[in-house]
Amino acid sequence: MSGQSWVVVTQEKQTRGMVLAARALSEPVVALVVGPQSLADLTATTGVDEVRWVPAEADQPPEAFAPALAQVVAASAPRVVLAGAEPGGRAVLGAVAAALSATVLPAVVAMSDDGGQLVVLQAALGGEVLRTLVPAGALAGVFAGADPQDGGAGGSAPVVQLAVESVDLRIARDEAGAAATGVADAARVVSFGRGVRAKADIALLGELAQALDAELACSMPVADDLGWLAKDRYVGRSGQHIAPRLYLAVGIGGAPQHMEGVRDAKVVAAVNSDPDARIFREADFGVVGDLYEVVPALIAAVRSAAPVTSVVKQ
Amino acid sequence: MNVVIVYKWARDEANALVRADGSVDWRNAKMTAGEDDPAALAVARTLAETAGGSLAGLTIGDGDASWALARGVEQAVRVSDVPDLVDNAATAAVLAAAVRRIGAVDVVVIGDSTQNPGVCVALAGQLGWPVVAGLTSATAVGDRVEAVRCIGTRELTFSMATPVVLGVLAQSDVDRPPGMKELLAARRRPLTTWALADLAEPPVDVVSRGTRAPDVPPARIFDGAPTVAAEQLVAALRDAGALA
């Protein structure tokens, strides 16, 4: 193995976090970027030593280049390769891992060097515990650590364009769905789950959302199984991924699949009658109680306090 | 188009008891159907039906292999003595060896697990096949596969040649339990059991130095009377700048 770390970049999100995590090993960091030149140029400012850039046409997903890129990365025999959770980056990571015979670990949050031995910190069980792992050889990690919004080395690393073969895999159609609901860009979101007993009770949650100048959202079962809200209002891994200033979850258990959609929320608060509900492990604030008693009290408390400022999230 | 659906390949993390010191006690070590398994099975069935091909199940470990057989899968293979592995590449190596032994497989469909997002991509890497993950549906179009990924309200449709691995995300968490007739039919469907030693070298897992509780502070909980707790929460949110 070489004393080198690579990060696979297919979108801006998680790039700075991955570079910071790789930097902790005090080894050169190479970014492998698949996408537009703007992404390569941006990545070059995040503190990497070099960018290898694969320009992709609009119908060429990163997955199409994975087999060829595996050979490119394997030729450098890095000790560490990181990718984010985005499926295209993971596809490249999987191919690279096979080429390197690397250990593949999910939820990597940090790495360190312990006398030449790579030590990995993993957020196991949906982040409930931190597990310390020692791979025997190279590591291919799916990164899930902190992702600072800005920062970098200040300079710009050289960008080297790569010409690689792609396999027979393309984007045949890229279709926008229904008009956006506003949940995606809302500064505040009130979201509810199956703790709400009847469809008519949504009005109560709507009243709270109105008092907080928030958008109304829900967990996956509410939209998909019950059909109480439009599907573009459900938050979670396969739904909306949002970054509001406030995410207030009412009657939501907090399964990892749901919480993945609010990973970037600034403040998470929860109302749940179960003091052991998983969501309290990830929330900043919580109220343990019956939502049918707590929500009216919250509406009154918000209305009696100073008005909530109406903002457009930047 | 011959399709393999991979199911019950990991333990359910909901069965893990985390002690105060951060150590983990697995109260139920059996492999269980993951949240994405029903969605993956639905995609696999659609593919096999639209292409007119076969559908076989593949599971590892000690879970109940009849899960897929009772949901319309014609035959299944279980690699019985596979432990739960932290290294997603080690899990993928076992699955890849089994897929090779099944033979003549065109599409492998597997849940794109939140807990183990490296398995489906590592499986593809070890098979030397392309992979598209984060999918919600797929169908056969001639000898190709068209598969859809939803990103918010946007829909991306991929078109690809086979062989390929498809990672499927659940958009619904409701599994339709089979009825008595389907359970009885499952008993008559062939289940083949292979030992790990017949397929591959014993998997070598990554060394763990243990687990601990995270350093993040616990949530600030207000558990008094609803009126008081609500006022405390609103005050805390205002102090945190969440209402500004």
Side-chain angles (χ1 to χ4, degrees):
Chain A
M1 287 184 291
S2 68
Q4 212 176 53
S5 297
W6 285 57
V7 294
V8 179
V9 177
T10 53
Q11 60 180 13
E12 181 182 352
K13 193 176 173 183
Q14 294 185 288
T15 299
R16 290 184 177 84
M18 288 192 290
V19 172
L20 271 178
R23 275 276 168 230
L25 298 174
S26 302
E27 294 170 350
V29 179
V30 179
L32 178 63
V33 179
V34 185
Q37 182 163 7
S38 57
L39 182 61
D41 292 342
L42 180 75
T43 303
T45 66
T46 58
V48 297
D49 295 284
E50 183 183 344
V51 174
R52 307 273 182 96
W53 170 46
V54 179
E57 301 293 330
D59 66 346
Q60 289 181 304
E63 289 90 336
F65 300 101
L69 291 178
Q71 301 312 310
V72 170
V73 179
S76 293
R79 178 160 73 148
V80 170
V81 184
L82 295 178
E86 191 274 324
R90 278 192 289 131
V92 175
L93 188 78
V96 168
L100 292 172
S101 297
T103 294
V104 176
L105 295 179
V108 171
V109 295
M111 299 177 295
S112 59
D113 187 299
D114 182 6
Q117 177 68 62
L118 176 66
V119 178
V120 180
L121 199 60
Q122 180 190 52
L125 302 181
E128 278 192 72
V129 297
L130 291 174
R131 184 188 279 147
T132 303
L133 299 165
V134 184
L139 166 72
V142 180
F143 183 72
D147 185 31
Q149 297 293 303
D150 49 28
S156 186
V159 178
V160 179
Q161 186 171 332
L162 299 178
V164 294
E165 295 290 319
S166 60
V167 298
D168 185 1
L169 194 168
R170 61 187 168 80
I171 296 172
R173 290 183 294 282
D174 184 351
E175 296 162 313
T181 58
V183 171
D185 297 321
R188 283 176 287 275
V189 172
V190 171
S191 189
F192 65 97
R194 283 195 141 161
V196 173
R197 291 194 287 262
K199 188 175 182 181
D201 301 338
I202 297 173
L204 182 64
L205 279 303
E207 199 177 338
L208 176 58
Q210 191 176 33
L212 286 167
D213 189 29
E215 286 284 335
L216 192 61
C218 63
S219 63
M220 182 176 72
V222 170
D224 194 72
D225 304 333
L226 300 174
W228 288 355
L229 284 188
K231 286 190 177 180
D232 56 1
R233 283 192 182 270
Y234 86 71
V235 173
R237 185 176 47 141
S238 57
Q240 296 283 356
H241 290 229
I242 58 177
R245 191 174 296 173
L246 169 64
Y247 184 73
L248 175 55
V250 180
I252 289 177
Q257 292 79 2
H258 180 77
M259 299 311 292
E260 192 170 321
V262 293
R263 186 184 286 164
D264 297 325
K266 304 294 181 295
V267 174
V268 175
V271 176
N272 202 297
S273 58
D274 178 3
D276 296 323
R278 191 180 185 120
I279 196 157
F280 289 132
R281 299 173 205 160
E282 300 195 42
D284 301 290
F285 305 104
V287 173
V288 177
D290 182 344
L291 73 90
Y292 289 92
E293 295 177 355
V294 174
V295 170
L298 272 174
I299 294 168
V302 172
R303 286 179 175 160
S304 66
V308 174
T309 311
S310 181
V311 293
V312 176
K313 191 167 75 70
Q314 299 299 309
Chain B
M1 191 175 288
N2 296 323
V3 182
V4 165
I5 169 69
V6 181
Y7 64 101
K8 286 196 176 184
W9 51 270
R11 290 187 290 193
D12 182 357
E13 295 190 349
N15 289 324
L17 174 67
V18 179
R19 300 190 190 94
D21 63 355
S23 60
V24 179
D25 175 16
W26 286 95
R27 289 169 290 177
N28 181 355
K30 289 194 172 184
M31 304 290 195
T32 55
E35 185 191 57
D36 301 300
D37 282 8
L41 175 56
V43 165
R45 288 184 63 170
T46 299
L47 271 175
E49 286 164 12
T50 54
S54 67
L55 175 60
L58 169 60
T59 184
I60 58 176
D62 52 7
D64 179 6
S66 69
W67 183 87
L69 295 173
R71 288 164 174 78
V73 174
E74 299 147 14
Q75 55 186 311
V77 168
R78 174 172 58 194
V79 186
S80 59
D81 49 351
V82 182
D84 186 59
L85 298 159
V86 173
D87 180 0
N88 284 184
T91 302
V94 174
L95 294 172
V99 169
R100 287 191 203 98
R101 179 155 174 186
I102 290 170
V105 176
D106 300 298
V107 183
V108 173
V109 184
I110 180 171
D112 189 11
S113 159
T114 303
Q115 290 79 22
N116 294 290
V119 170
C120 74
V121 295
L123 170 60
Q126 298 199 23
L127 289 169
W129 299 0
V131 58
V132 184
L135 298 172
T136 52
S137 65
T139 188
V141 178
D143 60 353
R144 298 178 67 82
V145 172
E146 282 201 355
V148 176
R149 177 187 299 157
C150 296
I151 307 169
T153 60
R154 182 179 165 210
E155 280 192 2
L156 280 182
T157 302
F158 296 84
S159 173
M160 67 207 82
T162 59
V164 68
V165 174
L166 304 179
V168 176
L169 281 181
Q171 283 199 301
S172 165
D173 64 354
V174 175
D175 176 32
R176 188 184 66 82
M180 184 56 69
K181 186 178 173 185
E182 292 159 310
L183 289 170
L184 291 172
R187 291 185 187 175
R188 294 190 294 271
R189 291 182 172 139
L191 171 64
T192 305
T193 299
W194 292 337
L196 183 57
D198 298 333
L199 288 178
E201 294 293 316
V204 179
D205 207 3
V206 63
V207 174
S208 173
R209 289 185 179 173
T211 57
R212 63 177 171 84
D215 303 324
V216 293
R220 201 170 141 201
I221 300 293
F222 308 108
D223 56 0
T227 308
V228 176
E231 288 172 354
Q232 289 173 326
L233 176 60
V234 170
L237 294 177
R238 194 171 296 282
D239 290 346
L243 303 184

